Amino acid sequence: MAVFEGLGKLSWESFVYSCLPLLKLPAEILEALQAGKIAYTKAQLIARVKDKEQRQSLLEEAIAADLSLSEIKERVKALQPTTDTETPQATIQAITRRITQSKVWENPQKWKQVQTLLKKLESLITEDTLITGEKDSY
């Protein structure tokens, strides 16, 4: 504990939660991180790519082109397999969870956009109910 007190900003708790997981990174990413070729935040993102060849390619590109964190996020997202088997209910639950976690209502502009989208969804549901005469149960 005295070591962490001497460092100032870093506590043992933050070390455990932010630094120790880096040791579980794939070998090639850990090597690049230790060599100072890539930031740990970028390394963590690249490690999400499961395919070893794709991950290695992305790592090399990120280092060579000095990709930003957002550029790496886009590339990782593009490499993720699409889940066409996800149920509509799971999609709705995931979106609801993300809205709650992001606390979008704290940003007035974004909250207004969310409210507009919710009204459009409501009107779609209402139209569907009027056409079919059935109510959806959610």
Side-chain angles (χ1 to χ4, degrees):
M1 296 246 203
V3 172
F4 293 106
E5 289 173 10
L7 291 174
K9 292 182 179 180
L10 188 67
S11 69
W12 71 270
E13 292 100 342
S14 63
F15 176 80
V16 167
Y17 291 114
S18 61
C19 296
L20 279 182
L22 297 176
L23 297 175
K24 294 181 182 179
L25 292 174
E28 69 276 8
I29 296 175
L30 187 57
E31 197 175 293
L33 180 62
Q34 289 171 334
K37 295 179 180 178
I38 193 163
Y40 81 95
T41 51
K42 295 177 182 181
Q44 288 175 318
L45 271 176
I46 295 170
R48 292 181 185 174
V49 177
K50 301 297 179 204
D51 183 89
K52 189 174 181 175
E53 289 177 11
Q54 289 178 335
R55 187 174 59 233
Q56 181 65 38
S57 175
L58 179 56
L59 176 63
E60 290 170 5
E61 182 184 4
I63 293 169
D66 192 27
L67 296 177
S68 70
L69 194 60
S70 58
E71 290 172 323
I72 293 172
K73 280 181 186 178
E74 288 174 12
R75 284 170 173 75
V76 168
K77 188 175 180 179
L79 292 173
Q80 298 300 327
T82 57
T83 55
D84 291 338
T85 58
E86 190 172 311
T87 65
Q89 291 84 354
T91 302
I92 291 168
Q93 288 173 346
I95 290 170
T96 303
R97 189 171 38 255
R98 288 179 62 197
I99 288 172
T100 303
Q101 289 172 347
S102 72
K103 297 182 181 177
V104 71
W105 53 86
E106 291 178 356
N107 180 327
Q109 289 178 321
K110 286 185 179 182
W111 181 238
K112 189 172 184 174
Q113 290 176 332
V114 169
Q115 288 177 311
T116 302
L117 291 170
L118 288 172
K119 286 177 185 174
K120 287 181 181 179
L121 285 171
E122 181 67 31
S123 70
L124 283 172
I125 293 168
T126 305
E127 282 178 21
D128 190 44
T129 304
L130 292 173
I131 294 169
T132 63
E134 297 178 8
K135 262 192 162 177
D136 291 332
S137 59
Y138 286 101

